[in-house]
Amino acid sequence: MAIRLGAPAAVIGTLAAVIAATPSNAAEPVRTQQAPTGVLPAVTPRAAGAAHLSSARPTTYVVRPGDTVSAIAIRNGLRPADVLAWNGLGWRSIIQPGQTLRLTAPASPSPAAAPSAPAAPSARTHTVARGDTVYAIARRYGTTVAAIMSANGLGRSAMIVPGQKLTIPTASAPAPVPASSAAPVASPKPAAPAAPRTHVVAKGDTLFGIARTYGTSVAVLLQANGLGTGSIIYPGQTLNLTPPAPAQRTATLDAGQRAHALRIIAIGRELGVSDRGIAIALATAMVESTMRNLDHGDRDSLGLFQQRPSQGWGTPTQIMDVERSIRVFYGGAHDPNGSASNGLLDIAGWQGKSFSAAAQAVQISAFPERYGLWEQQAMQWVAGLR
């Protein structure tokens, strides 16, 4: 669903990336002589393609007036998404004349020799029963919610379902406490201290420095504390380090929306996509177009997933083809768009990413957190729509 907001002509530093008032489906072509408004998260490109490129292709390119990333990429036999990722740019980043762009993937650093590691802690598994919660399971095994979520790749809005097996990370794998046993049991080892929830500002603190200390971002701190770009922090002020979990969204589909949802589910089943992958596609369509095949959108965005012709998703006619746009979102070996775009199945390790992160890897949105707000509803659609 397109949201139109204005952006300032010049924004400086990290705050520009985190407060860019851009729609969730925005993906502006990168052009010269404009002000930057975003940074692209690194997207794992499709592995194919590099081997057959000519060895004569330059490894760098100096930007000239009028250049765009798309034009530079095509001229050198590359995909725009790869050039953006290799240079740490977003779809809305601005390139300037004289700027040098990398045209090859950066070399992976050699791993440092690892010191002898202590024996890995043992782990148990727990089969989720009706009525279980992650909090109750954590207490039962003497661990923490954060540890269970990390061990199982769960996000804050993830659901657990009866029959699901969870890995329980513990140092000594203590036996669970039987709910009905009256016999005394050994006290479990103290759980690891929970991550801090707040920070008291000290003299000399900056939002950037605080974000680095706690492994978060300036954007999260701004959101968690209701701050704006011009807000001032002062010694003694208490800052929340994480924003409150947003409420999950729900919707009742009309006939047109239902037909599109059923088609997303059917094609996902045909391609062998997991229920969670299908739910990611449903949630993405709900965020981008409210599950409608729109013939308009922000800039040149079109269709069910608001894909953009200018970014290589196909021609306008192709994008408006519901069947094709769904298959392009899923991607994989039978992607009708070939290697011009990365679908969900082309993202390495997408199964282990959080719900929002997996959708974001495909859409490259300015507001990736919106996809996770539809996770529970999307899973219900997968289970119940017929």
Side-chain angles (χ1 to χ4, degrees), residues 319-355:
I319 292 174
M320 289 300 296
D321 182 333
V322 170
E323 178 94 8
R324 183 185 186 279
S325 70
I326 295 172
R327 293 181 183 276
V328 170
F329 177 84
Y330 283 127
H334 304 290
D335 186 346
N337 207 35
S339 61
S341 57
N342 276 334
L344 182 64
L345 301 180
D346 302 316
I347 306 300
W350 71 266
Q351 301 92 333
K353 295 180 182 291
S354 70
F355 195 91

Side-chain angles (χ1 to χ4, degrees), residues 132-294:
D132 271 352
T133 65
V134 175
Y135 175 76
I137 295 170
R139 291 199 60 184
R140 184 177 179 188
Y141 288 91
T143 184
T144 64
V145 171
I148 292 179
M149 294 176 73
S150 175
N152 293 275
L154 301 176
R156 288 186 304 171
S157 59
M159 295 186 300
I160 58 175
V161 295
Q164 180 179 354
K165 292 187 181 299
L166 296 179
T167 298
I168 310 297
T170 57
S172 58
V177 179
S180 60
S181 173
V185 294
S187 299
K189 290 186 176 181
R197 295 174 175 271
T198 59
H199 171 83
V200 178
V201 178
K203 186 175 181 180
D205 273 352
T206 65
L207 287 174
F208 179 74
I210 296 169
R212 289 194 62 180
T213 297
Y214 293 99
T216 183
S217 67
V218 174
V220 169
L221 294 179
L222 292 174
Q223 179 186 1
N225 295 278
L227 301 176
T229 57
S231 298
I232 304 298
I233 60 174
Y234 51 87
Q237 180 180 359
T238 299
L239 296 179
N240 296 318
L241 298 177
T242 57
Q248 284 283 300
R249 305 291 177 84
T250 61
T252 300
L253 302 178
D254 61 26
Q257 292 171 309
R258 182 185 177 86
H260 291 145
L262 287 171
R263 199 71 199 116
I264 290 172
I265 293 172
I267 292 175
R269 297 265 191 257
E270 174 193 327
L271 296 175
V273 181
S274 66
D275 283 359
R276 184 170 181 269
I278 295 172
I280 290 170
L282 289 168
T284 301
M286 200 66 192
V287 169
E288 301 294 352
S289 67
T290 64
M291 207 77 75
R292 303 179 193 280
N293 194 33
L294 302 178

Side-chain angles (χ1 to χ4, degrees), residues 9-36:
V11 182
I12 301 175
T14 306
L15 296 181
V18 300
I19 61 167
T22 57
S24 64
N25 56 3
E28 179 68 6
V30 182
R31 300 183 181 280
T32 57
Q33 301 178 353
Q34 296 180 8

Side-chain angles (χ1 to χ4, degrees), residues 367-385:
F367 302 98
E369 71 282 354
R370 293 180 178 176
Y371 304 115
L373 300 181
W374 288 96
E375 180 175 2
Q376 294 181 14
Q377 176 67 88
M379 291 298 293
Q380 293 172 11
W381 285 332
V382 172
L385 283 180

Side-chain angles (χ1 to χ4, degrees), residues 27-34 38 40 61-97 99-103 310-312 364:
E28 179 68 6
V30 182
R31 300 183 181 280
T32 57
Q33 301 178 353
Q34 296 180 8
L40 174 69
Y61 177 83
V62 178
V63 178
R64 294 177 295 187
D67 274 344
T68 67
V69 169
S70 294
I72 295 169
I74 293 170
R75 191 182 309 146
N76 289 277
L78 299 169
R79 296 187 307 118
D82 291 336
V83 176
L84 292 172
W86 295 340
N87 291 275
L89 301 173
W91 292 114
R92 295 181 172 281
S93 299
I94 307 303
I95 57 175
Q96 304 289 345
Q99 179 179 352
T100 300
L101 296 182
R102 179 190 294 274
L103 299 183
S310 64
Q311 304 306 322
I364 313 176

